[in-house]
Amino acid sequence: MNIHEYQAKQIFRDHDLPAPPGRVTRDADEASEIAADYGGRVVVKAQVHTGGRGKAGGVKLADDPEEAREAADAILGMDIKGLTVRKVLVTPAVDIESEAYAGIVMDRSRDRPVFMVSPEGGMDIETVAEEKPEAIFRQPIDPAYGLLPHQATTLAYRLYDEPKLAKEAAGILGKLWKAYRGSDATMVEINPLVRTPDDELRAIDAKMNLDDNALFRHPDLEEMRDVEAEDDSERKAREAGLSYIKLDGDVGCCVNGAGLAMATMDLVKYYGGDPANFLDIGGSSSPDKVVSALEIITDDPSVSSILFNIFGGITRCDDVANGIVEATSRLDLDVPITIRLTGTNEEEALEILRDNGFEAMSDMDEAVQRAVEAAG
Ligand code: GDP
Ligand code: MN
């Protein structure tokens, strides 16, 4: 789950990290009131689930409340990388001497989190990685031990030569690790970590991604979910109890069981097609789930063929068949559907489907080939 900068900064402050205060609003007039409350220079910042807001014009400095109003007015409603800005953060401006980078990502190839720091902060870390890879320092972390003090010190000296600043930075890295670990995050980033002219360190940007599978342990963090900012189909799927991930292809896949869903996607590829999604409708699927699944798949305009692949164990094939019939009668579909069902109540299911004019079969290879052909 993605959270906004203002929420990540709240988690930072809860862990005693030096993130400046701030308030969020959807209203330009209120933005100017907040600016007046803080007094002095503020920054007005788009709250959307993406980086690169600065470059897109979504981060503006304002010297007085009137400028803050104008900045908020310009930013609210703005489109940043396809996302509409609905909220802005108003926060006291920090003077910048230099910008550094500090972050932790889960590195699946190493099976552990990796700490990354760079004195070249401010820009995308991906850009630094491309243009100046020697400016990024990495430290894999053994999750059993956490960030060890000597690792924190070594990383901190990559950022600052002066012992006083390095010591301060080492403390920040330690707290950043605790924030990451304590929230079950998969990514956390301070970019930039700012050194002020007075040699103070401030986290003026914050990005965090939380592990969906651990959210049940963090009801307070789950509350940070911004339904408005989430992908429509992924939200629908979550609410319907389906696992759905949108992909770039055109063969919409509706499968029961994650393993079979993966195998189906492999086979679609094997026969020259491209899956439009991963979708697992789960074990004992009700007709309602099938309806939701079809709605989600057909909401995606690139889908030009739909493939059902159902292995009936606990799931009854006739339930799924009834769901398909019901859903298609409600939905007015013009996309061809290919259905493969096998297992519990297979015969009944095939009969229901054929009676209703569907192409249904029990062979997986055959079904996948037809679905790929139908996508053209
Ligand atoms: P991002 O572009 O989405 O990563 O948004 P950031 O919060 O990182 O802001 C982008 C850039 O705006 C930063 O790298 C800074 O150069 C500038 N900026 C943001 N906040 C401040 C601030 O408080 N003071 C100053 N002087 N510049 C800021
Ligand atoms: Mn940033």
Side-chain angles (χ1 to χ4, degrees), residues 5 41 43 45 50-55 59 61 91-96 99 122-123 191-192 204-207:
E5 173 193 4
R41 207 178 193 206
V43 196
K45 311 181 75 177
T50 179
R53 296 162 303 165
K55 258 191 214 148
V59 176
L61 286 158
T91 173
V94 171
D95 291 332
I96 300 179
E99 300 183 308
M123 51 179 149
N191 190 23
I204 67 164
D205 190 12
K207 224 198 260 176

Short mmCIF file of all heavy atoms in Angstrom, two decimals, residues 5 41 43 45 50-55 59 61 91-96 99 122-123 191-192 204-207, ligand 1:
data_model
loop_
_atom_site.label_atom_id
_atom_site.label_comp_id
_atom_site.label_asym_id
_atom_site.label_seq_id
_atom_site.Cartn_x
_atom_site.Cartn_y
_atom_site.Cartn_z
N GLU A 5 3.10 11.52 1.21
CA GLU A 5 4.21 12.15 1.92
C GLU A 5 3.82 12.60 3.33
O GLU A 5 4.55 12.35 4.29
CB GLU A 5 4.68 13.37 1.11
CG GLU A 5 5.72 14.22 1.82
CD GLU A 5 5.94 15.57 1.15
OE1 GLU A 5 5.23 15.89 0.18
OE2 GLU A 5 6.84 16.30 1.62
N ARG A 41 8.13 31.68 5.10
CA ARG A 41 8.10 30.96 3.83
C ARG A 41 7.56 29.54 4.02
O ARG A 41 7.96 28.86 4.97
CB ARG A 41 9.53 30.90 3.34
CG ARG A 41 9.69 30.81 1.87
CD ARG A 41 11.19 30.82 1.59
NE ARG A 41 11.40 31.04 0.18
CZ ARG A 41 12.47 30.63 -0.47
NH1 ARG A 41 13.45 30.02 0.19
NH2 ARG A 41 12.60 30.85 -1.76
N VAL A 43 6.22 25.73 1.82
CA VAL A 43 6.20 24.99 0.56
C VAL A 43 4.81 24.36 0.45
O VAL A 43 4.28 23.82 1.41
CB VAL A 43 7.26 23.86 0.54
CG1 VAL A 43 7.48 23.36 -0.89
CG2 VAL A 43 8.56 24.33 1.14
N LYS A 45 2.80 21.45 -1.49
CA LYS A 45 3.22 20.23 -2.17
C LYS A 45 2.04 19.32 -2.52
O LYS A 45 1.22 18.99 -1.66
CB LYS A 45 4.20 19.45 -1.29
CG LYS A 45 5.33 20.32 -0.71
CD LYS A 45 6.29 19.50 0.12
CE LYS A 45 7.19 18.66 -0.77
NZ LYS A 45 8.19 17.91 0.05
N THR A 50 3.14 9.45 -6.27
CA THR A 50 4.25 9.34 -7.21
C THR A 50 5.32 10.35 -6.84
O THR A 50 5.05 11.34 -6.17
CB THR A 50 3.79 9.59 -8.67
OG1 THR A 50 4.92 9.48 -9.53
CG2 THR A 50 3.18 10.96 -8.84
N GLY A 51 6.54 10.08 -7.27
CA GLY A 51 7.62 11.04 -7.07
C GLY A 51 7.67 11.98 -8.27
O GLY A 51 6.75 11.99 -9.10
N GLY A 52 8.74 12.77 -8.34
CA GLY A 52 8.89 13.68 -9.48
C GLY A 52 7.86 14.80 -9.51
O GLY A 52 7.58 15.38 -10.55
N ARG A 53 7.31 15.11 -8.33
CA ARG A 53 6.31 16.18 -8.29
C ARG A 53 6.94 17.53 -8.55
O ARG A 53 6.34 18.40 -9.18
CB ARG A 53 5.61 16.17 -6.92
CG ARG A 53 4.82 14.91 -6.65
CD ARG A 53 4.54 14.80 -5.17
NE ARG A 53 5.78 14.81 -4.41
CZ ARG A 53 5.87 15.01 -3.10
NH1 ARG A 53 4.77 15.24 -2.42
NH2 ARG A 53 7.03 15.00 -2.49
N GLY A 54 8.18 17.69 -8.03
CA GLY A 54 8.88 18.96 -8.21
C GLY A 54 8.99 19.31 -9.68
O GLY A 54 8.59 20.40 -10.11
N LYS A 55 9.50 18.37 -10.46
CA LYS A 55 9.68 18.59 -11.91
C LYS A 55 8.36 18.89 -12.61
O LYS A 55 8.32 19.65 -13.56
CB LYS A 55 10.30 17.34 -12.54
CG LYS A 55 11.78 17.48 -12.80
CD LYS A 55 12.27 16.32 -13.66
CE LYS A 55 13.69 15.96 -13.27
NZ LYS A 55 13.97 14.54 -13.45
N VAL A 59 5.41 21.13 -6.64
CA VAL A 59 6.03 21.60 -5.39
C VAL A 59 6.39 23.07 -5.59
O VAL A 59 7.19 23.40 -6.47
CB VAL A 59 7.31 20.80 -5.06
CG1 VAL A 59 7.99 21.35 -3.81
CG2 VAL A 59 7.00 19.31 -4.88
N LEU A 61 7.35 26.92 -3.71
CA LEU A 61 7.67 27.75 -2.55
C LEU A 61 6.77 28.98 -2.56
O LEU A 61 6.44 29.50 -3.63
CB LEU A 61 9.13 28.20 -2.64
CG LEU A 61 10.16 27.10 -2.32
CD1 LEU A 61 11.51 27.43 -2.94
CD2 LEU A 61 10.31 26.94 -0.81
N THR A 91 3.76 23.26 4.35
CA THR A 91 4.78 22.97 5.35
C THR A 91 5.82 24.09 5.37
O THR A 91 6.11 24.69 4.32
CB THR A 91 5.44 21.60 5.03
OG1 THR A 91 6.54 21.37 5.89
CG2 THR A 91 5.94 21.53 3.59
N PRO A 92 6.34 24.45 6.55
CA PRO A 92 7.35 25.51 6.61
C PRO A 92 8.55 25.16 5.72
O PRO A 92 9.01 24.03 5.74
CB PRO A 92 7.76 25.53 8.09
CG PRO A 92 6.64 24.87 8.82
CD PRO A 92 6.06 23.87 7.87
N ALA A 93 9.03 26.12 4.97
CA ALA A 93 10.16 25.87 4.07
C ALA A 93 11.45 25.70 4.87
O ALA A 93 11.63 26.30 5.93
CB ALA A 93 10.30 27.01 3.07
N VAL A 94 12.32 24.87 4.34
CA VAL A 94 13.62 24.63 4.96
C VAL A 94 14.68 25.20 4.02
O VAL A 94 14.57 25.04 2.80
CB VAL A 94 13.83 23.11 5.15
CG1 VAL A 94 15.25 22.79 5.59
CG2 VAL A 94 12.82 22.55 6.15
N ASP A 95 15.70 25.88 4.57
CA ASP A 95 16.79 26.37 3.73
C ASP A 95 17.74 25.23 3.42
O ASP A 95 18.10 24.46 4.30
CB ASP A 95 17.54 27.51 4.42
CG ASP A 95 16.66 28.76 4.51
OD1 ASP A 95 15.78 28.91 3.64
OD2 ASP A 95 16.85 29.54 5.45
N ILE A 96 18.14 25.17 2.15
CA ILE A 96 18.93 24.02 1.71
C ILE A 96 20.37 24.39 1.43
O ILE A 96 20.66 25.29 0.64
CB ILE A 96 18.30 23.41 0.43
CG1 ILE A 96 16.86 22.96 0.71
CG2 ILE A 96 19.16 22.27 -0.10
CD1 ILE A 96 16.15 22.37 -0.49
N GLU A 99 21.66 18.48 -0.67
CA GLU A 99 20.62 17.45 -0.65
C GLU A 99 21.24 16.06 -0.78
O GLU A 99 22.05 15.81 -1.67
CB GLU A 99 19.63 17.66 -1.81
CG GLU A 99 18.92 19.00 -1.77
CD GLU A 99 17.89 19.16 -2.90
OE1 GLU A 99 18.25 18.95 -4.07
OE2 GLU A 99 16.73 19.48 -2.61
N GLY A 122 18.02 14.64 -4.12
CA GLY A 122 17.19 15.60 -4.86
C GLY A 122 16.61 14.99 -6.11
O GLY A 122 15.41 14.97 -6.28
N MET A 123 17.46 14.43 -6.97
CA MET A 123 16.89 13.83 -8.17
C MET A 123 16.53 12.36 -7.92
O MET A 123 16.86 11.78 -6.89
CB MET A 123 17.85 13.96 -9.36
CG MET A 123 19.25 13.48 -9.07
SD MET A 123 20.27 13.67 -10.55
CE MET A 123 21.87 13.96 -9.84
N ASN A 191 14.23 11.74 0.31
CA ASN A 191 14.90 12.32 -0.85
C ASN A 191 14.25 13.64 -1.21
O ASN A 191 13.20 13.66 -1.82
CB ASN A 191 14.83 11.37 -2.05
CG ASN A 191 15.72 11.84 -3.17
OD1 ASN A 191 16.66 12.58 -2.95
ND2 ASN A 191 15.41 11.42 -4.39
N PRO A 192 14.83 14.73 -0.80
CA PRO A 192 16.15 14.85 -0.22
C PRO A 192 16.17 14.84 1.31
O PRO A 192 15.23 15.29 1.95
CB PRO A 192 16.62 16.23 -0.70
CG PRO A 192 15.34 17.02 -0.81
CD PRO A 192 14.26 16.03 -1.16
N ILE A 204 12.98 16.50 4.16
CA ILE A 204 11.92 17.36 3.61
C ILE A 204 11.03 16.63 2.61
O ILE A 204 10.03 17.16 2.17
CB ILE A 204 12.47 18.68 3.01
CG1 ILE A 204 13.30 18.43 1.77
CG2 ILE A 204 13.24 19.48 4.05
CD1 ILE A 204 13.50 19.71 0.98
N ASP A 205 11.39 15.41 2.26
CA ASP A 205 10.45 14.59 1.49
C ASP A 205 10.46 13.20 2.13
O ASP A 205 11.46 12.79 2.72
CB ASP A 205 10.86 14.52 0.02
CG ASP A 205 9.77 13.89 -0.86
OD1 ASP A 205 8.64 13.72 -0.37
OD2 ASP A 205 10.06 13.57 -2.03
N ALA A 206 9.34 12.51 2.01
CA ALA A 206 9.22 11.17 2.62
C ALA A 206 8.35 10.31 1.73
O ALA A 206 7.29 10.74 1.28
CB ALA A 206 8.58 11.28 4.00
N LYS A 207 8.82 9.12 1.47
CA LYS A 207 8.04 8.18 0.66
C LYS A 207 8.06 6.84 1.38
O LYS A 207 9.10 6.41 1.89
CB LYS A 207 8.69 8.04 -0.71
CG LYS A 207 7.68 8.08 -1.84
CD LYS A 207 8.25 7.51 -3.10
CE LYS A 207 8.71 8.57 -4.08
NZ LYS A 207 9.34 8.00 -5.26
P1 GDP B 1 9.48 15.21 -5.45
O1 GDP B 1 9.89 16.02 -6.64
O2 GDP B 1 8.14 14.56 -5.66
O3 GDP B 1 10.51 14.23 -5.03
O4 GDP B 1 9.25 16.26 -4.24
P2 GDP B 1 10.28 16.83 -3.14
O5 GDP B 1 9.57 16.97 -1.87
O6 GDP B 1 11.52 16.02 -3.11
O7 GDP B 1 10.60 18.29 -3.67
C1 GDP B 1 11.30 18.51 -4.87
C2 GDP B 1 12.33 19.60 -4.72
O8 GDP B 1 11.71 20.80 -4.29
C3 GDP B 1 13.39 19.31 -3.67
O9 GDP B 1 14.44 18.51 -4.16
C4 GDP B 1 13.85 20.71 -3.30
O10 GDP B 1 14.83 21.15 -4.23
C5 GDP B 1 12.59 21.55 -3.48
N1 GDP B 1 12.02 21.76 -2.13
C6 GDP B 1 11.11 21.00 -1.49
N2 GDP B 1 10.90 21.43 -0.23
C7 GDP B 1 11.70 22.51 -0.08
C8 GDP B 1 11.95 23.41 1.01
O11 GDP B 1 11.42 23.30 2.12
N3 GDP B 1 12.85 24.42 0.77
C9 GDP B 1 13.49 24.57 -0.41
N4 GDP B 1 14.38 25.57 -0.55
N5 GDP B 1 13.29 23.74 -1.46
C10 GDP B 1 12.40 22.73 -1.29
#
